[in-house]
Amino acid sequence: MTPSATTAGKTATNEDSEELARFRQEWLDELKHRREAASAITAGGDSQSRDVGASQTSAGEIPKGPLTSPTRSTFGKRAATDAYKRHEAANLPDDALPASHPALTNAGIQVVTANLPPSLQNALKIYKDAVEHEQNGDLDEALLLYRRAFRIDDQVDRAFRREEKLKAILQSQTAVASSKGRTTGVDELAGRFEKVVSVKETGLPTTVAVATGSLAQLIKEFPAEVQFEPLVENEPIHLKVLPDELLVSVLKRLDPTSIERFGSVSRKARLLTLDSGVWRPLVKLIYRPPQIPDDEDLIEIMERCLYDYRRVFIEQPRIRMDGVYIAICHYIRPGLSENRWVNISHLITYHRYLRFYPNGQVLSLLVNEEHGPQQVIPMLKPTLRMKGFYIGTWKLEGTTVHLTDLIDASGRYFIPHATDTGPKAASIGTSVNTHANNMPAPEYAKYAFGMMLTLKSRPLGRWNKMEILGYESVKMDTGDSHPISLKHERPFWFSKVKSYGI
């Protein structure tokens, strides 16, 4: 061999050694960088995490396992990546995760995922798609994706579990932080309220609970001092800050249903709802003529109920004006058929409505199924003009409701006791005949109608049911009355309407 050939061979060998050393150094630098990223995640964890971090090799050491000397750049990088994965799988178990770390954020998780080898990132993406298909029930597609992911990298399942654990820890930390923030805000608000409102202990009872009957026997078993108790121990109760007078003042502004719901919360709440100041305004507002024959009768009612206003409100019959009474009636009418072997029957449905006013006025409406309750109830006012609409007066005697002077208010006749008629009347039937429209004045009705009903309560205190006892027509000229037999009638049931008020 000539000297020139020998020199050329040595030069090629030196170049290969330099390239191998460069690849080796690049691999060690990359391994050091990834080990530092893993150490940043496990920092601040439990003792197991610290032991794992201590057992990891230093940046200058070569991981265990056989390495093949690369001869090309791409092969050297792939060998370094495989060696890193084997080293990480051997020294960083799945459970070596911190329970809490300040740097554990969504951005931190994304950085850790981005530092994975490209092949592992690609396999992890395919693995996530496989999990999604499996959750959606597409098992065949999920199996194909799982196989594809494991062919790319056999450690993809470990990387997926590690990422899910990090996300779970992050979610738990976020939930704890948000709950602490809410509790702190409520406590701060309660503290401010205590500084603004000064509660003085007078030593006198702040509320006067009046109860009779079985409820009185139950209250006797209450302790001498009752307070609002927390649902969970050691939790603050901000209602304790409010004086009883303020709570009673709030209860006065609620409807009876809300008051009773509050009273079912605890013993303290029940005693507050029994205060006479809560029910007295309701009783005085409701029980006046025509609810009772005369104002003086209220005294007799109070004496009978031992001056328990809540008991009066529950036991004394009353017409409810915060809604409408509706009766849904059905009957079957035979139809005509061209085929004598076929019998046709029609199910006919119609509704009766009754709305009462405090001034003694009552509205009665009879409509078929073409006009449903959702359409009729908003327009059920004295200004309504349509066929089947009547306006009259009412009064209550015991549990008997008397409806008198029910006059046709469809617009054909003059209504002497109507309080609101005119061109502004709402109409889904015929219009109002007035002089303003240059129309002849409507004539007086020849007949009026009367109805007698019985008022019932299902359950106690609701007074939500009416049954028809009789129906009659009265001739206006002579005053003669004739009973009318009603068929297919059903009882009226009360339906609350928010826009009507109490």
Side-chain angles (χ1 to χ4, degrees), residues 66-185:
L67 295 178
T68 304
S69 299
T71 57
R72 296 183 182 274
S73 175
T74 56
F75 179 76
K77 291 183 179 180
R78 184 168 61 253
T81 301
D82 296 339
Y84 164 72
K85 289 186 295 183
R86 290 195 301 270
H87 172 70
E88 185 183 32
N91 295 279
L92 187 59
D94 291 339
D95 56 354
L97 292 175
S100 176
H101 193 276
L104 191 58
T105 60
N106 286 323
I109 296 175
Q110 294 176 0
V111 170
V112 174
T113 305
N115 289 331
L116 296 176
S119 60
L120 183 56
Q121 293 184 23
N122 188 21
L124 185 60
K125 181 179 179 181
I126 298 174
Y127 192 91
K128 291 179 180 179
D129 294 339
V131 172
E132 183 177 357
H133 281 282
E134 183 180 2
Q135 293 176 351
N136 295 333
D138 191 359
L139 301 182
D140 294 337
E141 184 66 21
L143 182 59
L144 295 176
L145 292 175
Y146 279 133
R147 290 177 177 175
R148 181 180 173 187
F150 278 104
R151 288 194 188 102
I152 298 176
D153 195 300
D154 57 352
Q155 301 294 332
V156 63
D157 56 334
R158 298 171 64 88
F160 177 78
R161 289 197 299 269
R162 184 179 295 106
E163 182 177 340
E164 292 298 318
K165 287 183 179 180
L166 292 175
K167 291 181 180 180
I169 295 174
L170 175 61
Q171 292 178 358
S172 62
Q173 291 181 357
T174 304
V176 172
S178 60
S179 62
K180 290 182 179 179
R182 289 194 298 269
T183 305
T184 304

Side-chain angles (χ1 to χ4, degrees), residues 228-237 265-266:
F228 289 106
E229 300 295 337
L231 184 61
V232 180
E233 293 185 2
N234 301 326
E235 282 193 356
I237 302 178
V265 171
S266 65

Side-chain angles (χ1 to χ4, degrees), residues 199-204 206:
V199 182
K200 297 181 179 180
E201 297 292 341
T202 60
L204 299 176
T206 55

